[in-house]
């Protein structure tokens, strides 16, 4: 029986053996490994930049802003606070169980599987790794096959910092992910599309493995009538076109008042020109779509509904889609039903804010929601809608604050991470009560002659 189980769990057995040694339970060991990971990343900076350029044509500036810098910041935050987070927390104890004391222990789950996507292949693999290591787990990493250059650099970094039984990287096509998911893990963390996320949850259910799913959806952006249209356009364009729109929290579509549409669209056009010049295809700061299939899908979406007011250029061979704005898009068209995940921005109009709120609430809960405008209306929009996260007068920056938990709700995801939330996500909160023997309370034992007195203490 043991031999059969070992054959079925060939990936996890070495990590379970390493975890059972207890090395990862030592908080000082965790901190030292996080520091070593930071040194390795800094030492491999050129290689990371080259890999991100090869996979997605990310510039050095965008690579640091959205990937490397965020990972280093997360490491620094964990190193600074981990000792405090890992301490047991005393809790009050009811008089009914006196004399006792209570506390919460943070213990690691054991062996964790992290599956990452291709759009931020460095950040979205290493940020959850930081949380898992911080909590004391051993980890299996599965990078995306669509970002092979980044996966190779990550393998080198991991090999320089961790023993194979502590952290292992398994790259390859989808069959590798399937083989990993068929094994029993103590926790699974997945970032990617909702369709495969459902499959991950189904596979995890076979072993009753807890799961975090970081998915996506159609994140709305709302420009109120009292908004600074120029700033709203600039920050919306930045959040939409960074990484060529391949961002799970990118504004998927934007609502502006019907009297302000022309002003907003023109402001976005000028912003794109300022960011990337007259020919974004020649800009070293404008990335590419990850593969040909994705480029063809986006090319079809451009013409699914509405009118192109600027952009629309496509070069399938170079995996290039220009920053594109659409107007007069039908609400039930294909581009409004599926997540765009590319540099195409539909601009819709409204007359009353209630119409926008109803539109958003009729759809699946998004990963993010963005509102530009006065404080009173911002409060109303936030109180009457639901999303994983939100920004007022900005886009996507909420995920850069390690003090804020990041994640989805409903179809946009399950579970939150970043900062302390990551440490707690990958920790089992173990409740402990210690009772003393110098007094044995007779009220809790049968026969219950003092029930009325017991009721007063519960």
């Amino acid at each position: 029986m043991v031999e059969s189980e070992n054959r079925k769990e060939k990936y996890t057995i070495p990590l379970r053996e390493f975890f059972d040694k207890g090395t990862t339970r030592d908080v000082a060991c965790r901190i030292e490994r996080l520091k070593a990971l930071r040194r390795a990343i800094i030492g491999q900076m050129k290689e990371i930049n080259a890999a991100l350029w090869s996979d997605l044509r990310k510039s050095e500036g965008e690579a640091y802003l959205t990937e490397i810098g965020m990972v280093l910041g997360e490491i620094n935050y964990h190193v600074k606070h981990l000792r405090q987070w890992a301490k047991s927390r005393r809790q009050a104890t009811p008089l009914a169980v006196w004399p006792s004391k209570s506390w919460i222990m943070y213990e690691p789950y054991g062996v964790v599987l992290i599956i990452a996507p291709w759009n931020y292949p460095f950040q979205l693999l290493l940020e959850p790794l930081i949380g898992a290591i911080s909590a004391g787990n051993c980890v299996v990493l599965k990078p995306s096959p669509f970002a092979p250059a980044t996966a190779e650099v990550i393998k080198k970094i991991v090999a320089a910092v961790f023993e194979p039984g502590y952290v292992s990287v398994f790259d390859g096509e989808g069959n590798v992910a399937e083989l990993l998911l068929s094994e029993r893990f103590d926790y699974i963390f997945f970032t990617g599309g909702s369709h495969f996320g459902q499959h991950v949850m189904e596979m995890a259910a076979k072993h009753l493995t807890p799961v975090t799913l970081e998915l996506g959806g159609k994140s709305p952006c709302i420009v109120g009538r009292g908004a600074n249209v120029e700033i709203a356009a600039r920050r919306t364009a930045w959040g939409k076109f960074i990484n060529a729109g391949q961002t799970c929290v990118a504004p998927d579509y934007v609502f502006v008042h019907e009297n302000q549409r022309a002003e907003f669209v023109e402001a976005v056009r000028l912003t794109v020109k300022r960011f990337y010049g007259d020919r974004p295809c020649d800009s070293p700061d404008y990335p590419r779509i990850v593969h040909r299939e994705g480029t063809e899908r986006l090319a079809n979406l451009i013409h699914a509904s509405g009118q192109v007011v600027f952009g629309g250029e496509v070069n399938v061979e170079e995996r290039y889609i220009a920053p594109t704005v659409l107007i007069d898009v039908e609400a039930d068209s294909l581009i409004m039903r599926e997540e765009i995940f590319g540099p195409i921005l539909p601009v819709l109009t409204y007359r009353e804010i209630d119409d926008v709120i109803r539109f958003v609430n009729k759809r699946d809960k998004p990963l993010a929601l963005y509102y530009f405008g006065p404080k009173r209306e911002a409060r109303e929009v936030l109180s009457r809608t639901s999303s994983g996260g939100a920004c007022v007068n900005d886009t996507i920056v909420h995920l850069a604050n390690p003090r804020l938990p990041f994640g989805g709700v409903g179809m946009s995801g399950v579970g939150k991470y970043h900062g302390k939330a990551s440490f707690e996500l990958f920790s089992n909160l173990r409740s402990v009560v210690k009772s003393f023997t110098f007094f044995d309370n007779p009220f809790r034992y049968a026969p219950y002659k003092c029930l009325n007195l017991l009721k007063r203490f519960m």
Side-chain angles (χ1 to χ4, degrees):
M1 181 64 178
V2 174
E3 289 182 1
S4 175
E5 289 179 354
N6 286 354
R7 282 197 298 270
K8 286 192 293 184
E9 299 197 354
K10 62 179 180 178
Y11 293 111
T12 55
I13 289 296
L15 288 97
R16 295 199 181 282
E17 291 175 349
F18 189 94
F19 180 76
D20 288 342
K21 295 177 182 178
T23 304
T24 67
R25 292 180 180 270
D26 180 30
V27 174
C29 170
R30 303 179 205 172
I31 292 173
E32 181 51 43
R33 293 307 176 97
L34 290 174
K35 289 180 178 178
L37 179 60
R38 179 174 58 196
R39 290 192 298 270
I41 291 170
I42 293 171
Q44 293 283 323
M45 197 83 76
K46 289 183 179 179
E47 290 80 358
I48 299 168
N49 282 322
L52 291 170
W53 178 268
S54 174
D55 289 331
L56 289 155
R57 204 175 179 270
K58 289 191 182 184
S59 67
E60 186 175 333
E62 184 167 321
Y64 192 87
L65 180 68
T66 64
E67 304 230 34
I68 303 168
M70 289 187 64
V71 170
L72 292 175
E74 184 80 358
I75 292 174
N76 292 339
Y77 195 73
H78 280 254
V79 168
K80 182 178 180 180
H81 297 285
L82 179 54
R83 289 189 186 278
Q84 186 62 36
W85 296 341
K87 290 180 180 178
S88 297
R89 283 206 326 251
R90 285 288 300 272
Q91 302 293 316
T93 304
L95 283 173
V97 293
W98 186 87
S100 303
K101 64 179 182 179
S102 306
W103 67 90
I104 297 171
M105 291 177 59
Y106 293 95
E107 65 174 20
Y109 277 105
V111 179
V112 171
L113 171 63
I114 296 173
I115 304 176
W118 48 260
N119 57 326
Y120 291 90
F122 189 78
Q123 182 224 132
L124 292 179
L125 192 66
L126 293 192
E127 284 226 9
L129 170 66
I130 293 163
I133 295 301
S134 181
N137 299 281
C138 292
V139 185
V140 169
L141 297 173
K142 174 60 181 75
S144 169
F146 297 119
T150 306
E152 284 300 314
V153 176
I154 288 174
K155 286 166 67 175
K156 292 178 183 177
I157 291 172
V158 167
V161 176
F162 302 99
E163 298 91 327
Y166 197 164
V167 179
S168 294
V169 182
F170 293 97
D171 56 357
E173 299 296 328
N175 63 316
V176 176
E178 289 296 326
L179 289 170
L180 289 169
L181 287 170
S182 69
E183 298 197 14
R184 182 178 64 86
F185 286 88
D186 300 301
Y187 204 98
I188 296 175
F189 187 103
F190 169 78
T191 305
S194 58
H195 179 72
F196 195 72
Q198 291 174 327
H199 177 64
V200 170
M201 184 169 273
E202 290 173 0
M203 296 293 286
K206 295 178 181 180
H207 302 291
L208 295 180
T209 302
V211 174
T212 288
L213 302 176
E214 296 296 339
L215 307 176
K218 299 187 72 63
S219 297
C221 181
I222 305 165
V223 180
R225 294 196 69 179
N228 182 318
V229 174
E230 183 180 351
I231 289 179
R234 184 184 306 130
R235 294 178 182 176
T236 300
W238 174 74
K240 179 63 177 181
F241 300 126
I242 199 168
N243 200 30
Q246 299 166 113
T247 305
C248 58
V249 290
D252 200 83
Y253 59 93
V254 59
F255 265 106
V256 299
H257 192 270
E258 59 185 7
N259 294 335
Q260 296 175 310
R261 186 180 74 175
E263 180 185 2
F264 179 84
V265 169
E266 177 63 11
V268 173
R269 186 186 69 79
L270 292 174
T271 296
V272 170
K273 182 177 180 180
R274 190 177 301 117
F275 286 174
Y276 308 115
D278 291 323
R279 289 173 53 82
C281 59
D282 295 331
S283 170
D285 294 310
Y286 188 68
R288 294 296 185 264
I289 307 305
V290 69
H291 46 50
R292 183 188 180 99
E293 293 78 10
T295 310
E296 292 172 342
R297 181 186 71 86
L298 291 167
N300 291 330
L301 279 183
I302 289 175
H303 303 290
S305 179
Q307 173 189 347
V308 176
V309 287
F310 71 81
E313 297 84 12
V314 176
N315 187 323
V316 175
E317 295 301 321
E318 293 187 8
R319 299 178 288 128
Y320 171 76
I321 300 284
T324 301
V325 169
L326 304 177
I327 61 171
D328 299 330
V329 174
E330 296 176 357
D332 61 349
S333 61
L334 179 62
I335 198 168
M336 291 302 298
R337 293 199 308 269
E338 67 176 53
E339 184 178 5
I340 297 172
F341 221 67
I344 307 168
L345 180 64
V347 177
L348 288 71
T349 60
Y350 70 93
R351 290 184 178 178
E352 301 295 335
I353 197 68
D354 285 350
D355 299 332
V356 181
I357 292 172
R358 281 193 293 270
F359 184 95
V360 170
N361 287 340
K362 284 181 180 178
R363 286 151 177 79
D364 290 331
K365 294 179 180 181
L367 184 55
L369 181 146
Y370 307 114
Y371 173 82
F372 290 86
K375 182 165 58 176
R376 178 180 295 181
E377 192 169 81
R379 284 199 299 264
E380 180 183 2
V381 170
L382 290 177
S383 67
R384 294 175 59 190
T385 59
S386 177
S387 63
C391 292
V392 175
N393 294 325
D394 217 330
T395 62
I396 77 174
V397 295
H398 61 295
L399 61 83
N401 185 349
R403 296 163 186 82
L404 294 178
F406 173 77
V409 59
M411 288 297 290
S412 60
V414 178
K416 308 278 187 179
Y417 76 122
H418 285 187
K420 186 179 181 182
S422 283
F423 169 78
E424 294 183 340
L425 181 78
F426 290 107
S427 298
N428 174 41
L429 276 63
R430 190 178 189 182
S431 301
V432 180
V433 172
K434 178 181 179 180
S435 297
F436 298 95
T437 57
F438 64 83
F439 176 76
D440 196 20
N441 190 340
F443 296 157
R444 66 179 184 179
Y445 300 122
Y448 302 105
K449 295 181 179 180
C450 301
L451 182 59
N452 289 333
L453 182 60
L454 183 63
K455 288 178 180 179
R456 297 176 59 185
F457 293 101
M458 292 189 70

